Each structure stands twice: as C-alpha cells, then as structure tokens.
Amino acid sequence: MAVDLLLGLQWGDEGKGKIVDVLTSSYDVIARFQGGPNAGHTLEFEGNKHVLHTIPSGIFHPKAVNLIGNGVVIDPVIFMKEIENLAPYAIDFDQKLLLSKKAHLILPTHRLLDAASEASKGKAKIGSTLKGIGPTYMDKTGRNGIRVGDILAPDWEEKYQRLTKKHLALLNSYETAVDFDLKDLENSFFKSVEALRKFKLVDSEQYLIEAQKAGKKILAEGAQGSLLDIDFGTYPFVTSSTTTAAGACTGLGVAPNKIKEVFGIFKAYATRVGSGPFPTELFDKDGETMAKVGNEFGSTTGRSRRCGWIDLVALKYSIHINGVTQLMMMKGDVLSGFETIKICTAYKTETGVMDYLPYDIATQDIVPIYEELPGWNEDLTQMTKSSEFPENFKNYIRYLEEALETPIKIVSVGPDRKQTIFR
Ligand code: GDP
Ligand code: IMO
Ligand code: MG
C-alpha cells in the first residue's frame, strides 16, 4: 500500500494541521517525519481550537494511529504539556500514539544554545523559535545526540550529564550571556522524561513496514515549509531539517517508490515568521489587511507573521522539488475585498529577470514582477461548493492551476474543519 505525503510549499503555517485533520478519516496512520516543537499546527472543529506541536494532527480522530517518526526532535517538557492539554478529549494514547525510539531528544541546554546562538548573531539572527531545534539536529548529525530509546537504558543519566557538560562549556564560549537556572529546567525535564517512558516507544520504521504490508493507508504530515528546508530553503534563514518530500523517506523509513500522492499546501497569499528574504513582502495597508483578516500571528511563538502576495517563482520551485501531485489552497477568504490581486511571476534582479529561486536569494536585491487579476468582494467563508465561488475567485484559481501545472483539489475558506471544499 502506498504512502501519501502532505507538506507546506511556502515558509510554514500554510494550514497543514487543518487539512491533515480533515483528511485523517481516509487514513489509518498519520506520521510526523521531521521538525519538532517549532511547529504549531492549528485545528478547529465543533467550537474547539487546538494547537499541536509534536503530536500529529490526526490525534482527534477515533481510529487513526498517530506516529512521531525518527526524523522528529522531541522536547519531553513540551510533549507532556501537549498531552495534558489533550486531557479533555479522553484520548487512548496507548492505542493511538507511537513514538520512534530513534527520534532525538531536545535537552534544556539545547534550548539555551539556541538562545545564545541567536543572541550572538545580533541583527543577523535567524528568528528561530528558540525551541532548541538547530542545536539538537547539530548533535544528531555530529553523532552526539540522545535518542528517545536511550531513556530506557540504565546509563541514560550519564549520557545526559556528559552531553550537558559539553553544552555548558559551549555556552561559556559565547560572548553574549544567556540567563538560566539549570536546576529548575532539569527538574521539569526529568519529570517529563519519567512520564515519557510510559508511552509507546517503538521501532517506528518497522511498524510502518508492517502497516504497509497489511494494506494500511498512511499519511505523512510535514512541518514547516519547503522554503525553510535546510538544503533548498532560503539559507541560512531556514530550519535545521529536511522539510521537503525526501524528509519523509529519511524521517520515517519510507522508501521513495512507496510514496504516491504528494499534497502541496499553500496560502492564497504568502507569509513568513522570523527573518530572511521574502521578495513579495508588503509594508503597506494591503499587508496589514492580510495580517489582520488572516489573523497572522505565529501558532508557536505568537509573533506577527510578515505578509505579502503569492509568489509563483517560489511555488513552482517547491512543486518541483517535492514532486507535488495535487495542490490545496488555503485562506482564499482572506483576500475578499481587495480590488486587485497581485501574482508574482518572476524576479527582477541585478543580473536580469529570473524565474527560479537563486542561490543568493538572501543577499540579492529582488524586485517582484507582478501580474494583476481583478479581486472579489463576496464573503467566501459560508460557501460549501466551488460552484458558489464568485467568478473572479474562480479566475484566480484557474490562473494558478495553469501557471503551476497542477490541479488545486482542495480550497479552504475558513479555519474550521467544515470550511473545506473538495474540487
Ligand atoms: P500549519 O502550521 O501549517 O498547520 O498552520 P498554522 O496552524 O500555524 O497556521 C494556519 C492558521 O490559519 C491557523 O490559525 C488556522 O486556524 C488558520 N486557517 C487555516 N485554514 C484557513 C482558511 O482557509 N481561512 C482562514 N481564514 N484561516 C485558516
Ligand atoms: P509550522 O510547522 C513557520 C521558522 C522560524 C525561523 C526559522 C528557524 O507551524 O509550519 P527554528 O526554530 O526551526 O530553528 O527556526 O524557521 N519556523 C517556522 N515558521 N512555521 C513553522 O512551523 C516554523 N518552524 C520554524 O520562525 O524563521
Ligand atoms: Mg504553524
């Protein structure tokens, strides 16, 4: 049986959580493959609003198994908080939640190192979520990391002490000091690790191999977005994991030839939280309107998201790198009321016009070249069929499908599960 994959095509926060939740009724297993608590995936249904960070977005469905893969990095403290927040839903975690023993742990000192690294960069900071993501993946690839399975071994505390000692020495090497009370941080860390031991810690790749043999339907849930990918994103303003399709192979142990549908999800405009290049960013009333109507505040950090027009140069790039087979367009409702909608089709750079993402996008002066389409005024949020869409919104969708050479199969017109239109 094949594995389908859902991932963000922009700079994250496209609405992955919402759509995974909507699609879960058609799947047996929902699996996160990379990232960690830097993610904030929002779900809204039956008057509830819920933000998940580490736990896959299929957790609210009665049957699906939710799996946290080896490619994810887990902060036990944040993980346990998420579990506590789910208490009202009476979820049977023994049946429904599996964690890979190979996933790496975020230690308190990883978070401190993240803060020290950011402080030392001054104005050039990445704008990290300060969840310790970069330092944890550095320890993973540097072969110093501690994995979830390690907490079951008798020598686990020695491993922890060895790595923490190293981190403290590293922290000292930064000129900018970071204030912390390690004892306090360790108290909650060890309490959470104790609690984590009681969860189902498994060889998750083996679970997925068996699930595939048994004909189960698996959906891999991406975090962040393709433009934050460690290799293909707007480096160095990226996260530290492979957010693109290849990440599902390494982060779950799924072979490339087992991947079938690749769902690429994007907003009808563009947003970015944190620093880094954003060619279509708006600094005017239009940008303010998008931020206000779209409620563009980070689900994890509460920071304001920068807003701008849709960028087809970036979207085409993401579609190719991921092998996207179907598109999902989110937040079209936010654009109601704009007289004209702008679409970036190319970049004007110092060296000429470009229609792909250049290596030095972070340092080049890029001026977006726009096409304009007429806007629409109708409120889309109560619509239930695409035939109800205003003509100009239909035009916008048609334009994007043609330019991106990929069908848009879902159009989302509001944050609720129900505000989802299949085409
Ligand atoms: P994720 O990280 O990709 O899961 O996305 P986030 O949850 O961080 O951010 C998406 C935000 O947009 C959340 O607040 C969602 O509730 C909201 N949202 C999702 N789809 C829509 C939509 O179609 N319209 C509107 N207005 N809001 C949406
Ligand atoms: P979801 O899954 C949006 C951004 C941060 C920062 C950069 C590096 O909700 O879409 P990190 O903490 O990973 O070292 O930060 O990446 N970032 C996100 N932006 N959505 C996310 O996740 C993000 N995860 C990280 O703002 O610019
Ligand atoms: Mg988010």
Side-chain angles (χ1 to χ4, degrees):
M1 200 69 187
V3 178
D4 293 338
L5 176 53
L6 180 142
L7 30 81
L9 301 181
Q10 295 158 318
W11 284 285
D13 301 331
E14 295 88 352
K16 299 174 290 292
K18 170 185 161 157
I19 294 298
V20 169
D21 171 62
V22 167
L23 297 180
T24 299
S25 49
S26 314
Y27 289 91
D28 301 298
V29 183
I30 307 296
R32 270 279 302 270
F33 58 88
Q34 46 68 235
N38 48 349
H41 294 182
T42 314
L43 289 76
E44 285 193 36
F45 55 93
E46 294 156 17
N48 301 304
K49 177 173 169 171
H50 208 90
V51 182
L52 295 166
H53 302 287
T54 326
I55 296 174
S57 302
I59 198 70
F60 293 101
H61 279 259
K63 287 205 300 279
V65 168
N66 287 260
L67 182 147
I68 301 175
N70 56 281
V72 176
V73 290
I74 300 174
D75 182 330
V77 179
I78 296 179
F79 174 76
M80 285 314 301
K81 269 200 201 117
E82 285 187 73
I83 294 289
E84 276 166 34
N85 290 343
L86 290 172
Y89 301 92
I91 294 165
D92 182 354
F93 292 115
D94 256 2
Q95 294 295 321
K96 289 192 48 191
L97 187 61
L98 305 175
L99 288 87
S100 167
K101 285 185 182 169
K102 295 190 178 79
H104 279 245
L105 283 183
I106 302 177
L107 309 189
T109 41
H110 281 131
R111 274 188 279 146
L112 299 174
L113 285 168
D114 200 357
S117 165
E118 284 287 78
S120 74
K121 285 181 198 262
K123 273 198 183 143
K125 72 174 184 194
I126 306 296
S128 127
T129 59
L130 302 179
K131 302 295 177 198
I133 304 297
T136 306
Y137 279 114
M138 277 164 71
D139 271 336
K140 175 179 178 174
T141 51
R143 296 159 296 177
N144 295 311
I146 298 183
R147 300 183 294 170
V148 167
D150 293 341
I151 64 174
L152 304 173
D155 68 342
W156 130 256
E157 286 215 27
E158 283 160 43
K159 262 194 186 140
Y160 169 86
Q161 295 301 350
R162 248 195 327 268
L163 189 54
T164 298
K165 195 169 157 203
K166 204 163 141 184
H167 289 167
L168 292 173
L170 245 171
L171 271 171
N172 265 330
S173 69
Y174 282 99
E175 275 170 23
T176 22
V178 176
D179 280 339
F180 61 90
D181 176 349
L182 189 58
K183 274 281 147 286
D184 193 39
L185 294 172
E186 285 184 334
N187 275 343
S188 53
F189 179 75
F190 281 111
K191 231 165 68 194
S192 302
V193 166
E194 200 53 49
L196 186 60
R197 283 203 188 97
K198 302 193 179 78
F199 282 79
K200 281 228 159 130
L201 313 181
V202 301
D203 286 314
S204 60
E205 62 288 352
Q206 201 52 39
Y207 176 86
L208 289 174
I209 291 167
E210 298 299 333
Q212 287 174 79
K213 274 193 202 155
K216 303 247 188 234
K217 286 196 75 186
I218 300 163
L219 177 66
E221 172 181 2
Q224 288 79 55
S226 304
L227 304 175
L228 290 170
D229 182 271
I230 183 70
D231 283 276
F232 299 107
T234 49
Y235 195 88
F237 301 99
V238 294
T239 189
S240 298
S241 65
T242 299
T243 61
T244 43
C249 300
T250 58
L252 292 174
V254 168
N257 62 352
K258 294 289 188 297
I259 294 176
K260 193 170 168 232
E261 296 298 329
V262 180
F263 305 124
I265 181 164
F266 68 100
K267 277 180 194 170
Y269 48 101
T271 65
R272 169 161 211 168
V273 60
S275 337
F278 182 179
T280 62
E281 183 170 13
L282 291 168
F283 302 94
D284 59 7
K285 275 248 154 355
D286 285 345
E288 278 168 30
T289 306
M290 286 172 190
K292 196 160 161 247
V293 180
N295 192 24
E296 294 296 356
F297 297 96
S299 316
T300 296
T301 57
R303 292 178 292 176
S304 297
R305 295 180 185 142
R306 302 151 63 192
C307 295
W309 295 114
I310 200 160
D311 181 344
L312 296 194
V313 179
L315 275 180
K316 281 180 190 167
Y317 173 83
S318 296
I319 287 170
H320 282 129
I321 289 199
N322 291 307
V324 170
T325 59
Q326 301 182 25
L327 290 166
M328 296 163 172
M329 185 170 91
M330 313 299 287
K331 297 189 114 168
D333 54 298
V334 175
L335 295 184
S336 292
F338 283 91
E339 201 170 317
T340 46
I341 305 289
K342 291 194 183 178
I343 302 167
C344 168
T345 54
Y347 298 155
K348 201 167 138 201
T349 70
E350 292 140 36
T351 49
V353 173
M354 299 188 84
D355 60 0
Y356 66 91
L357 232 65
Y359 150 83
D360 49 358
I361 185 166
T363 49
Q364 280 226 37
D365 235 352
I366 287 173
V367 180
I369 298 173
Y370 288 114
E371 289 227 5
E372 292 189 10
L373 290 184
W376 56 92
N377 283 318
E378 292 83 346
D379 174 12
L380 309 179
T381 58
Q382 305 305 315
M383 296 185 179
T384 53
K385 295 191 286 292
S386 49
S387 56
E388 295 172 54
F389 289 158
E391 224 28 64
N392 286 350
F393 185 53
K394 283 186 192 159
N395 268 345
Y396 186 50
I397 295 175
R398 238 183 336 253
Y399 181 99
L400 295 177
E401 280 187 320
E402 270 173 33
L404 299 171
E405 297 174 334
T406 317
I408 299 178
K409 292 289 201 181
I410 288 182
V411 176
S412 170
V413 293
D416 194 87
R417 215 185 239 175
K418 289 206 176 110
Q419 292 169 302
T420 312
I421 296 171
F422 289 81
R423 294 175 78 235

